[in-house]
Amino acid sequence: MGKTLYLDCSCGISGDMTVAALLDLGANENRLRDALSTLPVSGYEIRIGRRNLAGIDCCDFDVALDAEHENHDHDMAYLHGMPEGAATECAGGHEHERVHDHHDHRDHEHTCDRHGHGHGCGGHVHHEHRGPADLDRIIDGAQLAPRARELAHRMVAILASAEAKAHAVPVDEVHFHEVGAIDSIIDIASVAVLLDDLDVDRVIVPRLVDGHGTIRCQHGIIPVPVPATLNIVSAHGLPLEISDVEGELVTPTGAAIVAAANAEHNLPCRFIVKRVGLGAGKRTYTRPSILRALWIEEIASDGGADRHQGASPTIDRARPGDIVRIECDIDDATGEVLAYAAERLRAARAREVHWVPVFSKKGRPAWQLQVIAAPEDVDRLEAIIFAETTTIGIRRWSCERTVLERREETVATPWGPVRRKIVTLPDGTERSAPEYEDARAIAQRENLPLQRVMDAARG
C-alpha cells in the first residue's frame, strides 16, 4: 500500500537534504546506488554517513566530485561575499570556519544564463552548462522505474519554467549552471528513485520556511528567497514563510521537489507517526539544517486509526472534485506536435495523459486528448493545451474515483530480486504485477525473454 509522507521543512529543504531524509526513513540504499550507476555521467562518488547537528543524529548524503567537477561556489564565505579564507559570522555571533569539502544546497538553478556562459566570481570553478533537454536525456539514459523517471522529468520541467520566467527567456534557451553540475543531477535522480522505492503516494508539506537577506550567485548578489524559488512557489501555490535566518534555506530544487510531488498543504488533525527520517544539510545557520521526513497514519474522527497495519482491505474513495478530467478533440495536428504536447502536460504534473482515436466532423479521423489532473493544476494544464495544440475549446468536469489499497514487496528469482506491486480487491483477494524496470534489467543482463522473468516474479 502506498504511504503518506510528511516533510517538515521548518529548517528548509534542498536536494541532498531530501535524499538523506528519505534514506534515513528506510529507502533502499543499494537500489539507489544501482540506479545511479546507470546514469550516463561520471566524475563523482556517493558518500552516505551520519552527522550530528545540534546534538541530533542525522543521515548525510554527499556527492564527492573529482577535481575537474568540484564546486566551491557554495561555501559559506563565498555565498555571503566574504574574502577568500575568511570565517563567516552567524546572527548569534558565532564564527564558522569556511568549509571546502562539504556543500549544501548545491542546486542554485538561479545561477543560469541564457547563452550558457558562466561569469564566475573570485576564481571559482566554472561548470558545464546544460539545458533542460540535456538533463532529460541524462534521465532517459538511466535505468529508472517509470514513476521515478516521470518524477525526475517533472522536477526538471518545473526548474526550467522557473528559470525561464526569472530571466525572461524561452524554456529551451535556459542554460543551468549549478543544476547542470553532476551533484545536482544526482540529487534530482536520487529523490525520484527513493520516492518510488518507498512507494509514496501522498506527500504533505504544510509550509516552506526560507530565510531572508541576500546571497551570491554567478551574476552577483541576489535577494533571498531567490527568484527561481519564488517563481516555483508562486506557480504551484506552495505556502511560504520567511524566517529570521539570514541566508537561503529553501533552494529551487527543494521547492521543485515539493511541487513535483504534488504535495498537499494540510496535515490531518490527528495522526500516528510510524517512522522518522532526518536529513542533514551542510550550511551553518542559526538553526540546524535538518529536514524531517515522517511516515504518518491518519486517525479517524472516532478515535480509531483509518489504516492500522493488518486491518482488513479497504477502498480509498477520493472526495468528489478531487480529480478533474480535461478533454478536447484535435483533427489538424501532426503526430510530433501531439507527442510534444503530451510530454509537456506530463511534466506539468498531469496525473494521466491519453490520446484516443476518434472520428470528428464529416467523418474525419481525429484524436481526443484526455487529461486527468488535480483541481489546482487545471488552469496551468489548459494553458499548455491551448499553447501546444490547435484546439479552440476544452471540456472539463470533476470525477470521483475508487483506488484499491496496494503495497510493494521484493521477491527472489533465479537471477536476482524483483519488486512487485500487490493490490487488495474488495473481497480480500489479491493480485500482483512485477515491476517492469526490474524485470527488464534482468532480462537484458541475463539475455532472457522478458516474459520468463516476469512469470518467475509472479511466483
Side-chain angles (χ1 to χ4, degrees), residues 131-133 156-157 160-162 164-165 169-176 340 344:
V156 171
S161 177
K165 181 177 180 180
V169 299
V171 170
D172 59 2
E173 291 187 23
V174 168
H175 284 80
F176 300 116
Y340 182 75
R344 283 208 60 195

Side-chain angles (χ1 to χ4, degrees), residues 12-23 61-63 103-109 155 159 183-192 194 249-258 279-282 291:
I13 181 172
S14 66
D16 58 340
M17 292 169 70
T18 307
V19 177
L22 295 177
L23 285 169
F61 177 80
D62 191 31
V63 182
H103 315 286
D104 186 26
H105 303 53
R106 302 179 181 89
D107 37 12
H108 280 261
E109 299 78 14
M155 283 188 266
L159 288 164
D183 45 13
S184 297
I185 295 171
I186 297 301
D187 287 348
I188 290 171
S190 297
V191 170
L194 296 181
L249 302 182
V250 177
T251 68
T253 292
I257 290 168
V258 176
K282 306 186 181 60
L291 175 67

Side-chain angles (χ1 to χ4, degrees), residues 137-367:
R137 281 192 288 270
I138 291 173
I139 292 167
D140 286 334
Q143 294 181 14
L144 304 181
R147 185 165 61 165
R149 188 185 310 278
E150 182 181 353
L151 181 59
H153 281 312
R154 283 208 303 271
M155 283 188 266
V156 171
I158 289 168
L159 288 164
S161 177
E163 285 296 350
K165 181 177 180 180
H167 297 277
V169 299
V171 170
D172 59 2
E173 291 187 23
V174 168
H175 284 80
F176 300 116
H177 293 308
E178 268 64 48
V179 77
I182 290 174
D183 45 13
S184 297
I185 295 171
I186 297 301
D187 287 348
I188 290 171
S190 297
V191 170
V193 168
L194 296 181
L195 287 174
D196 177 67
D197 176 67
L198 291 169
D199 197 19
V200 174
D201 64 359
R202 184 186 182 197
V203 178
I204 301 176
V205 180
R207 59 177 183 159
L208 295 176
V209 179
D210 206 347
H212 69 279
T214 59
I215 198 166
R216 186 195 298 264
C217 76
Q218 295 259 4
H219 298 299
I221 304 298
I222 59 175
V224 176
V226 299
T229 297
L230 281 180
N231 289 340
I232 292 171
V233 300
S234 173
H236 299 274
L238 306 182
L240 179 65
E241 177 181 318
I242 304 301
S243 71
D244 59 358
V245 174
E246 184 175 359
E248 182 188 36
L249 302 182
V250 177
T251 68
T253 292
I257 290 168
V258 176
N262 197 26
E264 303 173 23
H265 309 315
N266 295 317
L267 273 172
C269 294
R270 301 171 65 217
F271 55 87
I272 297 170
V273 177
K274 309 294 287 187
R275 187 163 182 171
V276 178
L278 302 176
K282 306 186 181 60
R283 289 188 187 172
T284 304
Y285 288 129
T286 53
R287 64 177 66 184
S289 184
I290 299 174
L291 175 67
R292 297 197 297 180
L294 294 78
W295 285 141
I296 64 171
E297 185 175 286
E298 187 172 357
I299 299 177
S301 57
D302 62 0
D306 286 335
R307 294 175 178 172
H308 284 305
Q309 186 174 4
S312 59
T314 61
I315 297 176
D316 174 19
R317 294 186 183 274
R319 296 185 303 276
D322 273 1
I323 299 298
V324 178
R325 177 169 170 168
I326 308 170
E327 185 179 286
C328 65
D329 298 338
I330 301 171
D331 64 359
D332 56 351
T334 66
E336 292 86 354
V337 168
L338 299 180
Y340 182 75
E343 289 177 6
R344 283 208 60 195
L345 290 166
R346 292 189 182 98
R349 297 197 302 180
R351 300 288 183 88
E352 296 181 26
V353 179
H354 303 143
W355 288 110
V356 179
V358 296
F359 289 100
S360 64
K361 296 173 295 184
K362 301 179 182 180
R364 294 199 300 264
W367 293 95

Side-chain angles (χ1 to χ4, degrees), residues 368-391:
Q368 184 177 95
L369 173 61
Q370 299 176 354
V371 179
I372 306 299
E376 61 269 21
D377 296 329
V378 169
D379 290 345
R380 185 174 66 259
L381 295 174
E382 287 189 349
I384 292 174
I385 294 172
F386 281 126
E388 299 293 350
T389 75
T390 55
T391 190

